[in-house]
Amino acid sequence: MSLNTIDAKVFAKMFLAGAKNLESKKEWINELNVFPVPDGDTGTNMTLTIMSAAKEVAAMKEPDMMTLAKAISSGSLRGARGNSGVILSQLFRGFTKGIREYDEITIPILAAAGEKAVETAYKAVMKPKEGTILTVASGIAEKAAEMAGETEDLEEFIPAVIEHAAAVLEKTPDMLPVLKEAGVVDSGGQGLLEVIKGAYDAFQGKEIDYSAIAPKNASASAGAVKISAQEPVDIKFGYCTEFIILTEKEFTEDNEQEFKAYLSSIGDSIVCVADDDVVKVHVHTNDPGLAIQKALTFGQLSRMKIDNMREEHQEKLIKDAEKLAAQDAAKEMPKKPEEPRKAMGFITVSIGEGLNEIFKELGADYIIEGGQTMNPSTEDMLNAIDQVNADSIFILPNNKNI
């Protein structure tokens, strides 16, 4: 049976599922982050942005398309973090402008909203760069427009758009040399793709616990990120500076152009978005105080955030070096001969050498370190299961919290 429309209730579920899927992949997306600054926070920033809107959407009991669009647009803008987060908020802002007047969304409406999303995002960025989230968004809009003339069935339309988006993402290293050098696709583009994939899962009616999903053993765009020794990068402008201006007078287009020109004189990676009486600002600069002083001439400031990107980059280099050392150590360790497969295996959660030894003597196949206030994660459990060669595996948590 073909499905031709999406109502507000279904769209709300799709948005929340997209947000959950992005959140579940944020650490992996952080690993992909090498542009514009290799500070490893794209996944975190995009997640904080979309979750700000998701909280508003989740609070709605009977949403209509207009209120839903407003919640997504305003919530994502107010919660936008980082360059990628602000761009994501602008994609949402443009997209929701294209759907808010309708009770139900069809493929032509989706295609038009996609074009509006790209137009809005490109307009917000001072110097758009290809090979980024903007390129992937453009690819999505182009494929949507093409498919709008070929089908009315959303079950045919959405997978085709996702497949094309993934193909565009794979080409981003050819557009940005820094991505090719690092052996990764664009982190922002990957984040956008994860949002759409999650939304499609909800459209299909899937109930998925994304916290139990981690990308494994695939190409950079599908999961595994190659860790290699990296040289420190010379970061021209060291402070990622963000804030919201609560305007006290009309913020005209002339004001916006003047402010952007000023920000260009003191930094780069500039995104400046005016929405009613709120202006969201993102800039990389060596003197955040100058940006703040200029902004104060337009109104009060809210949600101010200043991050030292040189420090963040150094921390990322240290983390990568530690991972590389761990990988090398694992390669050098003698391989344990594979145990014959058993009917039953036992995994136990334990802490302390004494208890660990007792459990080993009792026949535990694998021990997970943990206990009160140190609850192991679902991933720890899954990794442990992978280590035990048995038909049936019992996990002994030994703690009611676990």
Side-chain angles (χ1 to χ4, degrees):
M1 184 180 73
S2 65
L3 294 170
N4 300 338
T5 61
I6 299 170
D7 61 21
K9 192 173 181 180
V10 172
F11 185 69
K13 285 182 180 177
M14 291 174 70
F15 182 77
L16 292 174
K20 282 181 70 179
N21 195 34
L22 175 62
E23 183 183 36
S24 76
K25 310 286 175 56
K26 69 179 178 183
E27 293 303 332
W28 164 48
I29 293 168
N30 283 341
E31 293 286 351
L32 298 172
N33 177 205
V34 296
F35 180 85
V37 176
D39 49 359
D41 62 0
T42 294
T44 300
N45 288 339
M46 292 182 77
T47 297
L48 289 169
T49 301
I50 199 170
M51 282 302 171
S52 176
K55 285 175 185 173
E56 295 191 26
V57 172
M60 295 179 174
K61 291 184 179 176
E62 293 295 332
D64 57 60
M65 207 67 77
M66 179 63 79
T67 55
L68 191 57
K70 186 175 181 183
I72 293 171
S73 180
S74 64
S76 61
L77 178 62
R78 289 178 182 274
R81 285 277 298 267
N83 201 45
S84 55
V86 179
I87 293 172
L88 182 65
S89 77
Q90 291 314 288
L91 289 169
F92 289 152
R93 183 185 178 204
F95 185 84
T96 53
K97 279 182 180 178
I99 65 168
R100 63 187 178 187
E101 302 291 339
Y102 301 93
D103 293 328
E104 292 186 326
I105 306 170
T106 61
I107 286 175
I109 293 169
L110 277 175
E115 289 178 4
K116 189 69 177 172
V118 172
E119 177 192 326
T120 305
Y122 269 90
K123 185 180 176 185
V125 180
M126 278 283 289
K127 295 177 182 176
K129 195 88 172 173
E130 294 308 323
T132 65
I133 184 175
L134 292 171
T135 306
V136 177
S138 294
I140 290 168
E142 287 166 10
K143 187 63 177 179
E146 176 191 323
M147 292 296 294
E150 297 178 5
T151 182
E152 294 180 355
D153 186 357
L154 287 161
E155 278 287 12
E156 184 181 346
F157 172 83
I158 301 175
V161 170
I162 290 174
E163 184 180 349
H164 184 72
V168 173
L169 181 65
E170 286 290 345
K171 294 175 183 174
T172 55
D174 296 328
M175 304 176 205
L176 271 180
V178 67
L179 298 178
K180 180 160 276 190
E181 188 179 337
V184 297
V185 295
D186 178 66
S187 54
Q190 185 70 64
L192 180 60
L193 182 58
E194 296 309 320
V195 172
I196 298 172
K197 283 182 176 179
Y200 182 49
D201 285 340
F203 177 76
Q204 292 181 301
K206 292 182 183 177
E207 294 291 336
I208 297 176
D209 176 13
Y210 288 110
S211 65
I213 298 174
K216 294 179 183 178
N217 304 324
S219 64
S221 66
V225 179
K226 182 183 175 185
I227 302 296
S228 57
Q230 294 183 30
E231 295 295 322
V233 173
D234 180 23
I235 297 174
K236 185 178 179 183
F237 296 105
Y239 295 97
C240 177
T241 305
E242 294 179 85
F243 48 80
I244 287 175
I245 307 173
L246 306 174
T247 56
E248 295 172 345
K249 54 188 176 182
E250 184 185 4
F251 191 79
T252 65
E253 278 202 28
D254 287 343
N255 292 144
E256 185 175 339
Q257 294 309 316
E258 175 203 343
F259 189 42
K260 284 181 176 178
Y262 178 75
L263 293 175
S264 294
S265 71
I266 63 167
D268 65 8
S269 290
I270 296 152
V271 187
C272 177
V273 183
D275 187 17
D276 296 330
D277 57 349
V278 169
V279 182
K280 176 71 183 184
V281 179
H282 172 277
V283 61
H284 293 173
T285 179
N286 285 327
D287 195 336
L290 293 176
I292 289 168
Q293 286 174 22
K294 183 68 174 177
L296 285 168
T297 63
F298 299 109
Q300 297 182 51
L301 303 188
S302 172
R303 304 202 185 188
M304 300 170 67
K305 183 182 78 71
I306 300 170
D307 291 329
N308 185 333
M309 294 185 295
R310 295 187 179 102
E311 187 178 72
E312 288 176 339
H313 175 57
Q314 194 61 35
E315 288 173 0
K316 187 174 187 298
L317 288 177
I318 292 168
K319 274 187 187 177
D320 287 351
E322 288 173 348
K323 285 180 184 175
L324 197 60
Q327 287 174 3
D328 291 343
K331 285 176 188 173
E332 291 171 10
M333 284 178 65
K335 282 194 175 180
K336 180 183 173 184
E338 189 170 324
E339 299 283 344
R341 191 165 185 82
K342 302 189 295 183
M344 290 183 291
F346 291 88
I347 294 169
T348 183
V349 180
S350 170
I351 190 165
E353 287 185 20
L355 284 174
N356 291 353
E357 285 302 318
I358 290 171
F359 279 118
K360 285 176 185 175
E361 288 172 11
L362 290 171
D365 296 286
Y366 193 93
I367 293 171
I368 302 172
E369 290 284 337
Q372 190 70 21
T373 75
M374 286 179 59
N375 297 351
S377 67
T378 305
E379 186 177 8
D380 292 331
M381 304 281 188
L382 294 171
N383 288 339
I385 289 167
D386 287 340
Q387 301 299 314
V388 179
N389 190 16
D391 295 327
S392 299
I393 296 172
F394 296 86
I395 298 179
L396 310 177
N398 300 322
N399 184 287
K400 64 182 181 181
N401 289 336
I402 299 169

